[in-house]
Amino acid sequence: MSDPDPAASSRHASRPGFDASRAGRRAECDGGGGVPGTRFAGREEFAGTLTGDYVDHGDPPWRWYLLAELERKPEGYPGDAVWCESGSLFLS
Amino acid sequence: MPRDPLRTKLCDMLGIEYPIIAFTHCKDVAVAVINAGAFAVLGEAMHTPDEIAADIRWIRERIDGKPYGIDLVLPASSPLEGGLEDLESKIPASHRDFAAGIAKRHDVPEPKGPVALHRWGGLNQQMARAQLDVVLDERVPVFTSGLGNPAFILEAAHARGIKVFGLIGKKRQAEREIEAGVDAIIAQGYDAAGHTGTIGTFSIVPEVAAIAGNTPVIAGGGVTTGRHLAAALCLGASGVWTGTLWLASRESDEDMIIKEKLLAASAEDTTHSRSVSGMTMRTLKCPWTEEWAKPDAPRPLSAPYQMLLSARYTQAANDHRREDLMYEAAGQGVGFVTSMKPARQIVFDMVEEALGAFEERVGDDA
Ligand SMILES: Cc1cc2nc3c(=O)[nH]c(=O)nc-3n(C[C@H](O)[C@H](O)[C@H](O)COP(=O)(O)O)c2cc1C
């Protein structure tokens, strides 16, 4: 059922894209995710500039945007960019 | 009183008697709560799609057609990095030394097996998608998103007769999800076990109720007694979302050591700490959280680095059942959890106490 057979993999396929109307827009992300190895999740907050790059996962598409030039990120967050789920992004 | 104050629009929506939702990882607790006339949601975030499907079947066979829910954690942000393994090398020596010092000071043994950092290679988008597909395929009556906006799945869920609830910690998240058309919104306050926002239950619930219109609001965080239930309804909620309450129930599969710790704990025995994962979460205090809270401790690393440091401690504590080291997520209401009752009894006691609280308020001596 959920194992990677051809039908399942097309169902979960990722498709990258670019949305010029979002490129350069400042946005905040009420982010977070599951904590590997535990039953817990954590919330994290980011603010930065959208590059316009996105990835759609599966069908119905679950869209993720790349937020870069981070002005606000969790303490100790090592990178300068993060993928943010579109429903959790708030454009300024 | 003119009508049953516990009969809310959430009860009508779900066809349940009492507006109490148990969040639990234990199937036995879920079944007992559902069969007592309340509602239960099984936390499946760390399970494979096949395990989720098996759990759904197990529950269905025991609840005689009553509704139930499945909770997943939908990630809302994800760093660019890949596997956890290459991240190990980036942990500063100062932090490694501090963790080693904790192990020495508290005589933390080696875990019995390899440290199970993650069963999944991280909770990434594709894994969450695969889990969601089980929820859709199985036409689970209620899907709750414990984190992350479930808007993208709403149409597909509704087409299959699935109700979708979103859990939020901030007003703007609630606005977004209500606008998208979620069937109920869970407003979870800072008192709660596990991940929380920074706003207290008493503030977030009425704030969300004020903008929710007809969408039922469910209050979470610190709800452990009938008085909390009555108060939540007065704040504008149509029901309560409870986690800590069930951990020490008779049916719960928590280790007996943890149950005893929970029964003995009060609100002050919990901590809201970044020391376990790098993301704030409320758990029982333990030597690990206490050491990282000391003024001379290094500041905890971000996720997932801090998790790499704490995983060994956690696994050793559990493998060896070391009472002094073990901990669990627990909310500030843990002080009201004082006996190991059957889940069914917990439901009935809560209902009775809530009704008593309402009667007391409308009585002469209120
Ligand atoms: C042991 C434990 C693990 C938890 N894990 C999750 C989880 O995997 N997903 C989730 O949405 N919430 C999780 N929570 C939080 C609950 O959904 C709920 O919001 C919280 O327990 C409510 O606060 P309370 O514990 O004060 O009742 C967890 C809670 C506990 C006690």
Side-chain angles (χ1 to χ4, degrees):
Chain A
M1 164 211 56
S2 49
D3 285 323
D5 58 44
S9 54
S10 71
R11 196 176 177 182
H12 301 149
S14 302
R15 295 170 305 279
F18 184 78
D19 178 353
S21 69
R22 294 217 167 191
R25 297 280 309 265
R26 201 184 163 278
E28 294 179 6
C29 174
D30 290 353
V35 177
T38 74
R39 304 184 308 189
F40 308 130
R43 291 194 181 271
E44 295 182 309
E45 293 183 5
F46 299 86
T49 304
L50 293 169
T51 65
D53 294 296
Y54 68 79
V55 178
D56 281 336
H57 293 282
D59 179 31
W62 190 14
R63 180 159 294 188
W64 290 69
Y65 284 97
L66 189 60
L67 188 69
E69 296 165 40
L70 299 177
E71 302 147 28
R72 184 149 54 92
K73 56 185 180 179
E75 201 183 311
Y77 182 83
D80 194 36
V82 64
W83 286 102
C84 296
E85 194 272 319
S86 55
S88 304
L89 263 180
F90 296 83
L91 295 178
S92 316
Chain B
M1 265 175 288
R3 63 179 204 93
D4 179 357
L6 298 187
R7 179 81 200 208
T8 68
K9 55 186 172 192
L10 182 74
C11 296
D12 294 340
M13 176 200 279
L14 296 175
I16 55 174
E17 274 181 80
Y18 310 121
I20 301 168
I21 304 183
F23 170 87
T24 177
H25 291 100
C26 176
K27 299 195 291 286
D28 294 285
V29 171
V31 163
V33 169
I34 290 167
N35 285 329
F39 191 71
V41 171
L42 193 66
E44 291 279 355
M46 289 308 295
H47 283 174
T48 65
D50 288 345
E51 286 168 340
I52 297 172
D55 285 350
I56 288 171
R57 279 193 292 277
W58 192 94
I59 288 184
R60 263 195 207 131
E61 281 162 15
R62 288 162 177 83
I63 55 175
D64 199 20
K66 296 185 196 71
Y68 62 93
I70 294 292
D71 175 275
L72 296 176
V73 170
L74 303 181
S77 59
S78 121
L80 302 180
E81 287 94 344
L84 286 176
E85 290 72 14
D86 18 302
L87 303 176
E88 285 258 24
S89 59
K90 296 193 185 144
I91 295 174
S94 53
H95 286 69
R96 280 185 199 287
D97 291 349
F98 189 73
I102 296 177
K104 200 157 175 224
R105 287 192 288 285
H106 296 276
D107 188 24
V108 179
E110 281 299 309
K112 286 189 178 166
V115 178
L117 276 176
H118 51 106
R119 295 178 58 181
W120 268 107
L123 272 173
N124 57 32
Q125 295 94 323
Q126 269 151 354
M127 188 274 286
R129 279 301 327 225
Q131 292 176 316
L132 270 172
D133 286 337
V134 180
V135 168
L136 293 176
D137 291 346
E138 295 289 336
R139 295 173 187 262
V140 163
V142 174
F143 164 62
T144 66
S145 167
L147 184 99
N149 186 344
F152 77 99
I153 207 79
L154 270 176
E155 206 182 309
H158 286 165
R160 291 163 177 79
I162 300 170
K163 293 192 168 47
V164 179
F165 296 1
L167 186 150
I168 58 87
K170 273 191 189 182
K171 185 178 158 191
R172 73 176 182 185
Q173 296 159 354
E175 267 164 354
R176 181 66 75 80
E177 295 191 19
I178 289 164
E179 199 184 292
V182 292
D183 299 282
I185 197 93
I186 303 159
Q188 188 219 44
Y190 180 70
D191 311 24
H195 70 273
T196 69
T198 50
I199 307 167
T201 308
F202 239 71
S203 297
I204 190 75
V205 174
E207 202 176 25
V208 172
I211 58 160
N214 280 333
T215 308
V217 176
I218 302 162
V223 176
T224 28
T225 69
R227 282 189 185 278
H228 290 116
L229 167 58
L233 299 187
C234 293
L235 289 175
S238 299
V240 290
W241 171 262
T242 53
T244 302
L245 182 57
W246 313 98
L247 295 176
S249 64
R250 190 77 63 79
E251 292 87 346
S252 162
D253 55 7
E254 286 286 342
D255 193 302
M256 194 53 88
I257 292 176
I258 290 289
K259 288 189 179 182
E260 279 168 6
K261 282 194 157 198
L262 290 162
L263 296 179
S266 67
E268 281 169 298
D269 296 314
T270 72
T271 177
H272 193 240
S273 164
R274 292 205 307 119
S275 67
V276 172
S277 72
M279 301 194 258
T280 44
M281 61 170 70
R282 188 176 298 289
T283 65
L284 288 179
K285 286 178 183 167
C286 68
W288 181 267
T289 62
E290 291 305 274
E291 288 273 4
W292 285 92
K294 285 183 178 166
D296 58 340
R299 297 188 73 82
L301 300 168
S302 69
Y305 301 97
Q306 189 67 18
M307 186 67 215
L308 296 170
L309 279 175
S310 68
R312 180 169 292 277
Y313 169 96
T314 306
Q315 190 160 329
N318 293 335
D319 281 358
H320 296 271
R321 299 188 73 236
R322 277 276 298 274
E323 190 270 338
D324 57 328
L325 303 178
M326 288 166 80
Y327 66 94
E328 178 55 288
Q332 289 185 328
V334 68
F336 297 100
V337 179
T338 53
S339 63
M340 216 181 85
K341 294 189 282 192
R344 181 183 183 79
Q345 192 63 45
I346 296 176
V347 172
F348 294 155
D349 287 354
M350 197 171 199
V351 165
E352 201 177 320
E353 189 183 309
L355 290 173
F358 280 119
E359 260 163 36
E360 197 181 282
R361 290 292 95 195
V362 296
D364 286 340
D365 54 354

